[in-house]
Amino acid sequence: MHTDARTLEDGSVIEGDICIIGAGAAGISMALEWKDTPYKVILLEGGSFQVEPRPQALYDGESVGQTYYPLQAVRLRAFGGTTGHWAGWCSPFEPLDFKKRDWVPDSGWPIDRAALDAFYPRAHSYVEIGPYAWDAAYWEAQDPDRQSLAFDKSRVWTKMWQFSPPTRFGLRYRDDIFRAENIHLYSNANVTRIDTNETAANVEGLTVRTFEGKTFSFRAKHYVMACGAWQNARLLLASNDRAPAGLGNQNDLVGRYFMEHLEVMCASMLLVNAPASMKMYEMKFFETKARGELSLSEEAQAENEVLNLTVTLHPRTLEPKDYPWLISRYPSDARFTVDRLDELQAEYEGAPGGAQTPDYLSGLREFQLQARMEQSPNRDSRVFLARETDELGMPRLTLDWRLTALEKHSLRRTFEVIGEEAGKVGLGRVQLLDWLTTDDPMWTPNLGGGWHHMGTTRMHDDPKQGVVDPNGTVHGIHNLHVASSSTFTTAGASNPTLTIIAMTMRLSDRLKGMMG
Amino acid sequence: MTPVGFSLEDAHITRAPITDSIISMRRRDFILLNATGLAAACLATPAVWAAPSAYARPGLLDLFRDDEQVRQIGRRYIEQHPAEAHTDALEHRLAQTLRGARNVESCIRNEFAHRETVQLNGWILARTEARQCALFALS
């Protein structure tokens, strides 16, 4: 069921069993997990059903650290959330990502990969990807043209990705949500504060506002914050009437440990021979179902003390001006990316016979190598409240994104290892780009990010080291939970969406158990 | 019989063992040998004359397909290692390195495996092939 919050009477109090804040990938999948149950599920979305300037402006904020994209451009405040412009890349986190690594400060989740094994297949169905098969050998067997490069697999392996159509949650699941009798979606419902009891140990309600000046209260037994990493932190920090530092922030952790995936061109590779087919490494939007990228083995990462990353192969002819992730040129209008993807999809679907793109890697000997790398958890990389407020009176966010020497070391050393391994097996040679050949701490202006915001309410079993416990519940607040990449303790090399949904499934099951 | 060069694409053709006597032969000796028409004397022992050319001609020529790029890499190696800025020094070190090696290709792969590499103009290269480039640049 759907209600436009603007039609509610000012001062309304609405009650349910579970209240979900944010209707993106996590919020919608969480709600659908409760479809046709005896429980009343409230799903609150700040925006409407399309990306509009006024709600987007609530995301505006200043960036004071490492240069970043305009803050309001990279997240979408509308039903479906940021899946409205995601590219559909899916891959599960690896066992390594959950482990404590001595060379990665503050690494180590309180859960291991096995804790998510049962939930990843369920997440597959929400993002509409293929079988729960992540071994390159499986995909090689499906198609003789899809073969991995002949690296020593104990050192450099081919990590598989699968591609969602991509599923635009706002379009794909709108009817399901509307028709579900026990799911109550409220659009244009902006949560501006989490209201607790005096000791801030129990959430008693949510204050919700509209641009028209109406204020409501939503109450439930359990509350799930399912916003992105920035907005989850912002809401906790801004809910400071009972907890002066903000909810869950008794140890000054909310907003800290902000992480991104670094996307940057690092090297080129020259192969001895052009492989008969490079289909394994190609990705054509809206067509490719699975492809591989290069990655260092767990053993090689440990030996070289580097962060986890994957490597995309591009044609050597790609010029910096064509890099899609360039920060310096990115417009602040969030519609830009949405429109661009819509146009691409329309072009694709309008093409006679479907995909018309030629094999763009096959026949080549020369490639550019682009990294997609986790950043090290870093307490000083953070978002915090600004003095300026938005139209609804909430303090804006300021981003202070910071990188460390470990990131550059990891990029440099990883591509050196790939070069050594390519030479070892006689595959070819690798050349580092100039900016990566020195220990200079400066970054190339071609550094980009994946718009993957993680870590601001990190998971840890010790409240002094994490905001949420291993179940995703905010330490010290028994009925406030988080379903978001904001809980990620480390960022992994995989894009976060699939893992966000898997963790949402896990939280959902737990909440069902708590509800009896 | 054509001189046998190291080729990344045709690595199998350089599998003749390199003996101590071979690697003690200097490149100018080889040239002199050819110039005086005595090469025919080596026909019975092809490895004797094949080995010097094997390291005198960088296999990277086949990979890069660009002589000037190989020379630039060689010049950069010499800049970084001025003690090896002479053909004698380079040949001596190559001979030492290749002593006992099955062939140049296997030697290079082994160096990669053991991180005996150098970085020249950004390229990650085995030390032996870098020296080959340097020798080529000096020729």
Side-chain angles (χ1 to χ4, degrees):
Chain A
M1 295 198 291
H2 167 242
T3 303
D4 187 331
R6 294 174 298 188
T7 65
L8 295 173
E9 192 174 328
D10 187 28
S12 295
V13 176
I14 295 163
E15 297 188 337
D17 292 303
I18 175 171
C19 188
I20 303 166
I21 308 168
I28 288 175
S29 57
M30 169 71 83
L32 290 173
E33 286 291 302
W34 292 68
K35 187 181 170 190
D36 299 330
T37 65
Y39 303 107
K40 179 179 178 181
V41 176
I42 295 170
L43 178 58
L44 300 173
E45 170 51 50
S48 62
F49 295 90
Q50 53 190 343
V51 178
E52 296 174 333
R54 201 173 178 187
Q56 283 301 131
L58 300 176
Y59 286 168
D60 196 8
E62 192 183 2
S63 177
V64 298
Q66 178 77 32
T67 307
Y68 199 69
Y69 304 93
L71 271 56
Q72 71 273 31
V74 293
R75 303 239 73 82
L76 301 181
R77 195 177 181 92
F79 182 69
T82 305
T83 65
H85 69 198
W86 81 313
W89 291 49
C90 294
S91 190
F93 274 32
E94 298 152 30
L96 161 78
D97 296 321
F98 297 86
K99 294 178 182 174
K100 171 75 179 167
R101 291 167 283 172
D102 292 340
W103 64 96
V104 182
D106 293 311
S107 60
W109 293 50
I111 60 173
D112 59 16
R113 164 57 203 271
L116 294 182
D117 284 352
F119 302 102
Y120 273 121
R122 282 163 63 181
H124 271 225
S125 65
Y126 281 103
V127 294
E128 304 175 288
I129 57 176
Y132 187 62
W134 294 99
D135 187 344
Y138 170 86
W139 294 96
E140 288 171 350
Q142 306 303 307
D143 185 344
D145 288 338
R146 191 193 282 131
Q147 297 301 318
S148 301
L149 288 171
F151 280 100
D152 172 354
K153 290 182 174 63
S154 72
R155 308 289 293 172
V156 178
W157 62 295
T158 295
K159 174 185 169 71
M160 292 307 302
W161 294 81
Q162 292 191 52
F163 298 95
S164 170
T167 305
R168 308 269 175 239
F169 276 55
L171 296 172
R172 174 67 181 78
Y173 298 115
R174 177 174 164 155
D175 288 348
D176 292 328
I177 295 286
F178 275 38
R179 290 177 188 147
E181 291 187 2
N182 69 318
I183 300 175
H184 299 255
L185 166 67
Y186 293 86
S187 60
N188 296 297
N190 299 284
V191 180
T192 57
R193 192 177 65 224
I194 298 170
D195 302 305
T196 67
N197 65 348
E198 268 193 40
T199 60
N202 185 58
V203 177
E204 296 184 334
L206 304 174
T207 296
V208 173
R209 299 188 65 189
T210 69
F211 286 122
E212 291 69 27
K214 293 181 178 178
T215 302
F216 322 110
S217 180
F218 284 79
R219 296 174 185 171
K221 296 182 180 74
H222 288 276
Y223 300 83
V224 178
M225 303 178 69
C227 304
W230 289 349
Q231 296 307 312
N232 278 344
R234 183 187 184 192
L235 187 54
L236 287 170
L237 292 170
S239 300
N240 55 6
D241 49 342
R242 297 284 170 79
L247 293 177
N249 197 33
Q250 57 273 26
N251 292 302
D252 189 19
L253 289 168
V254 175
R256 293 188 179 276
Y257 293 96
F258 167 70
M259 298 176 289
E260 243 283 26
H261 283 136
L262 308 189
E263 298 197 356
V264 61
M265 206 66 90
C266 291
S268 60
M269 181 165 67
L270 183 55
L271 298 184
V272 172
N273 291 311
S277 169
M278 285 292 282
K279 189 174 182 180
M280 171 61 91
Y281 302 98
E282 290 183 341
M283 200 285 275
K284 301 169 198 167
F285 265 114
F286 315 118
E287 180 190 352
T288 301
K289 299 300 178 196
R291 83 139 175 208
E293 295 197 329
L294 301 178
S295 187
L296 290 197
S297 68
E298 184 172 337
E299 180 188 50
Q301 288 186 41
E303 182 184 304
N304 293 282
E305 301 192 338
V306 295
L307 295 159
N308 198 5
L309 64 74
T310 67
V311 179
T312 303
L313 275 64
H314 291 287
R316 180 69 186 265
T317 50
L318 195 65
E319 297 291 333
K321 66 180 176 55
D322 298 322
Y323 297 168
W325 57 83
L326 276 186
I327 290 175
S328 58
R329 71 172 189 192
Y330 223 88
S332 60
D333 183 358
R335 285 282 338 168
F336 172 81
T337 308
V338 177
D339 292 343
R340 188 174 160 78
L341 285 168
D342 285 350
E343 286 166 16
L344 275 174
Q345 187 149 15
E347 279 175 27
Y348 171 79
E349 289 171 351
Q356 299 296 304
T357 317
D359 294 343
Y360 65 94
L361 290 181
S362 295
L364 300 180
R365 282 202 318 138
E366 299 180 57
F367 304 92
Q368 290 192 50
L369 305 180
Q370 178 213 326
R372 179 175 294 97
M373 188 180 76
E374 65 173 332
Q375 77 168 96
S376 175
N378 175 8
R379 183 180 164 82
D380 294 332
S381 181
R382 62 186 294 213
V383 291
F384 55 92
L385 297 182
R387 288 184 180 171
E388 186 190 354
T389 56
D390 66 18
E391 187 180 349
L392 296 174
M394 274 189 84
R396 291 195 181 281
L397 269 191
T398 298
L399 169 65
D400 186 359
W401 182 34
R402 296 200 192 181
L403 301 174
T404 68
L406 180 57
E407 278 82 54
K408 191 161 182 186
H409 158 79
S410 296
L411 287 170
R412 181 177 179 175
R413 185 63 202 131
T414 295
F415 283 94
E416 286 174 350
V417 171
I418 291 173
E420 290 161 6
E421 292 298 318
K424 185 180 89 178
V425 298
L427 196 59
R429 299 290 182 270
V430 167
Q431 182 186 32
L432 303 191
L433 296 188
D434 281 348
W435 73 272
L436 206 52
T437 59
T438 71
D439 291 326
D440 187 328
M442 296 300 288
W443 287 85
T444 167
N446 295 330
L447 174 68
W451 302 5
H452 306 149
H453 302 162
M454 298 167 276
T456 56
T457 66
R458 70 196 315 256
M459 179 182 282
H460 204 285
D461 44 18
D462 178 358
K464 292 182 177 171
Q465 297 183 64
V467 176
V468 303
D469 69 14
N471 294 311
T473 301
V474 175
H475 280 294
I477 309 178
H478 74 97
N479 65 341
L480 181 59
H481 318 278
V482 184
S484 167
S485 53
S486 65
T487 65
F488 289 10
T489 311
T490 55
S494 304
N495 290 14
T497 304
L498 189 67
T499 299
I500 290 171
I501 298 172
M503 291 181 70
T504 299
M505 303 293 99
R506 180 172 175 268
L507 175 60
S508 177
D509 280 8
R510 179 169 176 272
L511 287 178
K512 284 179 179 173
M514 292 172 75
M515 297 288 279
Chain B
M1 190 170 186
T2 54
V4 183
F6 163 53
S7 165
L8 285 160
E9 291 177 291
D10 302 301
H12 62 280
I13 64 176
T14 58
R15 285 183 182 155
I18 299 164
T19 64
D20 286 357
S21 62
I22 298 164
I23 57 179
S24 64
M25 179 186 287
R26 291 181 177 180
R27 193 169 63 92
R28 62 169 177 269
D29 297 333
F30 166 62
I31 293 167
L32 182 63
L33 205 60
N34 277 294
T36 55
L38 295 176
C42 300
L43 285 176
T45 52
V48 170
W49 68 268
S53 66
Y55 63 71
R57 184 181 185 280
L60 290 178
L61 285 169
D62 297 322
L63 181 69
F64 291 136
R65 301 173 187 174
D66 178 355
D67 290 13
E68 184 51 30
Q69 190 173 7
V70 172
R71 284 196 183 87
Q72 285 175 8
I73 288 171
R75 287 194 283 270
R76 179 54 60 92
Y77 181 83
I78 291 166
E79 282 173 25
Q80 291 184 5
H81 303 84
E84 298 181 40
H86 307 284
T87 55
D88 287 356
L90 286 164
E91 286 172 350
H92 177 69
R93 283 171 170 80
L94 281 167
Q96 280 186 320
T97 303
L98 292 166
R99 178 173 294 144
R102 189 158 57 91
N103 54 42
V104 180
E105 168 77 3
S106 65
C107 176
I108 287 172
R109 289 193 185 201
N110 192 49
E111 287 179 348
F112 275 116
H114 291 90
R115 291 191 189 172
E116 293 166 20
T117 58
V118 293
Q119 209 175 108
L120 302 169
N121 295 343
W123 288 101
I124 313 295
L125 301 173
R127 185 171 293 279
T128 289
E129 64 187 351
R131 283 179 171 142
Q132 286 182 298
C133 293
L135 200 55
F136 185 71
L138 291 175
S139 67

